């Protein structure tokens, strides 16, 4: 894994945006397949991509995109749905056609079937060229909570109590916080051709230490990425604060 420790979120966003720009330019008119994530971690990268679109003409017109996950029970227009999030923070501000952005349908009558169908749509698109990931404080990626199988595919998952607690701040009524999600699996994520994981703040330091210096274990799901040949990790000093090996700090 290639590790970049950056001074602040803006520097991290620029590095991540560079990777997106490279993949989009390499794909040309054939169009890149972008893997998008929600949460606060990717926001500086999305802001930088929007800036490059407006000021430098970076175009997403030929790209397609797939998101990682969606809450079961929320329709795509719910204010807290991940579909709404990705449209608001990126898609609606660049020239990526809305019809080229796929998210699991959290309001599907049968979420298990929707998960299988979503996995198939992703495969049919030829898989993801560049996937951006955040990381949960418990080491989850997408909604692959501790205990997730490394071979897992897109499926309905139960959220960990710590994730439900982390998410509660976004909902006025605690009883409205979703407890299940449709999430790409660790096996699905492993097939992305390139991955960039970004994290900031001391709350992520333990998860980042496990990812970069720990044993591969299903108790820290992000450690599954240790097997992937093309992973870039972009962290700030606080998220890097529990790294101890000098080779990780200077790779
Ligand atoms: C949610 C998402 C993850 C994301 C995580 C961290 O649980 N399912 O994909 O990485 O939150 O969020 P944040 O970036 O806001 O810390």
């Amino acid at each position: 894994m290639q590790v970049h420790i950056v001074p602040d979120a803006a520097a991290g966003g620029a590095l991540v945006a560079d990777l997106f720009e490279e993949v989009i330019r390499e794909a040309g008119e054939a169009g890149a397949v972008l893997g998008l994530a929600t949460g606060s971690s990717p926001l500086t990268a999305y802001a930088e991509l929007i800036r490059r679109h407006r000021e430098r003409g970076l175009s997403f017109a030929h790209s397609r995109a797939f998101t990682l996950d969606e809450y079961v029970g929320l329709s795509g227009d719910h204010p807290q749905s991940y579909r709404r999030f990705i449209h608001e923070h990126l898609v609606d501000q660049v020239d990526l056609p809305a019809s080229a952005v796929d998210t699991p349908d959290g309001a599907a009558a049968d979420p298990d079937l929707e998960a299988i169908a979503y996995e198939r749509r992703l495969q049919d698109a030829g898989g993801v060229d560049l996937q951006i990931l955040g990381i949960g404080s418990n080491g989850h990626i997408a909604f692959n909570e501790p205990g997730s199988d490394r071979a897992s595919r897109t499926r309905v998952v139960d959220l960990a109590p710590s994730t439900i607690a982390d998410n509660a701040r976004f909902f006025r009524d605690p009883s409205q916080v979703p407890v299940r999600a449709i999430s790409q699996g660790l096996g699905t994520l492993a097939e992305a051709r390139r991955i960039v994981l970004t994290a900031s703040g001391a709350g992520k330091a333990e998860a980042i230490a496990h990812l970069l210096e720990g044993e591969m274990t299903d108790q820290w799901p992000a450690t599954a990425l240790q097997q992937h040949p093309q992973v870039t990790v972009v962290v700030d000093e606080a998220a890097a604060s529990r790294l101890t090996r000098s080779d990780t700090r200077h790779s």
Side-chain angles (χ1 to χ4, degrees):
M1 279 186 267
Q2 236 199 327
V3 184
H4 297 275
I5 301 175
V6 292
D8 54 37
L15 265 177
V16 176
D18 287 347
L19 294 178
F20 272 92
E21 192 162 350
E22 195 181 308
V23 164
I24 291 167
R25 290 202 195 285
E26 267 170 17
E29 293 200 354
V33 180
L34 308 177
L36 303 177
T38 52
S40 53
S41 308
L43 287 180
T44 52
Y46 294 161
E48 176 63 12
L49 288 171
I50 293 164
R51 190 189 69 75
R52 292 184 191 187
H53 168 67
R54 289 185 183 149
E55 294 175 13
R56 302 200 338 220
L58 173 65
S59 175
F60 298 79
H62 301 296
S63 299
R64 299 191 57 184
F66 287 85
T67 60
L68 288 173
D69 43 18
E70 183 59 281
Y71 292 120
V72 168
L74 300 195
S75 67
D77 54 7
H78 187 286
Q80 296 306 332
S81 75
Y82 281 175
R83 180 178 175 80
R84 179 85 168 259
F85 181 100
I86 210 67
H87 277 263
E88 211 170 282
H89 293 284
L90 180 65
V91 180
D92 295 351
Q93 302 197 56
V94 294
D95 60 346
L96 181 55
S99 59
V101 181
D102 203 346
T103 58
D105 179 4
D110 186 333
D112 295 307
L113 277 185
E114 168 60 7
I116 293 167
Y118 188 69
E119 176 87 22
R120 192 171 318 122
R121 298 202 292 276
L122 217 165
Q123 306 290 336
D124 288 349
V128 167
D129 292 310
L130 175 64
Q131 176 66 58
I132 181 169
L133 293 176
I135 187 168
S137 53
N138 66 354
H140 74 211
I141 46 177
F143 271 134
N144 294 284
E145 300 285 23
S148 295
D149 193 323
R150 269 206 291 285
S152 53
R153 315 306 305 192
T154 306
R155 69 213 183 288
V156 175
V157 294
D158 292 323
L159 302 184
S162 63
T163 301
I164 297 170
D166 279 353
N167 289 342
R169 65 186 190 280
F170 299 114
F171 293 83
R172 231 176 289 144
D173 176 354
S175 70
Q176 300 292 303
V177 187
V179 295
R180 292 192 305 155
I182 296 173
S183 176
Q184 286 189 37
L186 293 174
T188 319
L189 293 173
E191 286 170 9
R193 287 176 274 283
R194 289 184 76 165
I195 293 178
V196 57
L197 184 145
T198 175
S200 57
K204 303 293 172 70
E206 190 181 7
I208 290 297
H210 279 278
L211 167 65
L212 295 176
E213 297 184 347
E215 300 287 312
M216 199 189 304
T217 162
D218 66 6
Q219 289 314 299
W220 290 92
T223 60
L225 299 177
Q226 292 172 1
Q227 279 183 322
H228 193 286
Q230 284 251 58
V231 179
T232 305
V233 178
V234 180
V235 286
D236 69 359
E237 281 290 348
S241 59
R242 290 183 62 169
L243 297 175
T244 54
R245 291 204 315 242
S246 61
D247 56 339
T248 355
R249 291 195 69 93
H250 299 289
S251 61

